[in-house]
Amino acid sequence: MARIRAETGIDEAMIDALVEGFYAKVREDDFIGPIFAERIDDWGPHLAQMKLFWSSVALSTGVYQGRPMPKHLPLPIDARHFDHWLKLFEATAHELCPPVAAEHFVVRARRIAESLELGVANANGVMVGPGERYRRPETPWAPEVG
């Protein structure tokens, strides 16, 4: 943990700023914001958990004891949502963190997104092969019968 802190400059204050900044963007986002809004009424506990999560992921602190995979499996999300999440996260990391720290966060965020996308695909009965991405089946348009 000390080595990571020394090499990246990441500390709890940086994690707090990243999580707060990122989720401020999420709440304003037209694409993924509604998915969060339908499930989160009180952002305080969610942000607190995400700060613990990123402390564990970025600094190997082990302070997060949750299980993110089961929470994501029932969500109506696919590769497009993970790509958008990553775009917002990467932009926020590069805006708020020094380059070495931003890259440290981004590398881990990409692994997390890939893992969650595979889990969501599997939960929906889809086996994603190497280089493939999960796309939810779209309901074809049909005219309303009146």
Side-chain angles (χ1 to χ4, degrees), residues 16 19-20 23-24 27 36 39-53:
D16 285 356
V19 168
E20 295 282 345
Y23 283 103
R27 288 192 296 271
F36 285 85
R39 290 153 183 86
I40 300 173
D41 294 322
D42 182 358
W43 279 89
H46 180 71
L47 295 175
Q49 283 298 300
M50 292 301 92
K51 290 172 186 178
L52 294 175
F53 175 80

Side-chain angles (χ1 to χ4, degrees), residues 54-118:
W54 280 104
S55 177
S56 291
V57 169
L59 297 174
S60 300
T61 60
V63 294
Y64 178 76
Q65 299 300 313
R67 296 177 53 228
M69 186 64 76
K71 293 176 183 172
H72 288 81
L73 297 182
L75 298 178
I77 56 178
D78 64 15
R80 296 167 295 182
H81 298 89
F82 288 109
D83 289 347
H84 196 78
W85 179 88
L86 276 171
K87 181 178 132 188
L88 288 177
F89 186 86
E90 290 178 15
T92 307
H94 287 290
E95 288 167 13
L96 299 177
C97 304
V100 172
E103 191 58 26
H104 187 83
F105 284 118
V106 166
V107 165
R108 282 145 187 81
R110 288 177 182 159
R111 287 186 196 140
I112 291 162
E114 181 179 12
S115 174
L116 290 173
E117 182 181 329
L118 290 173

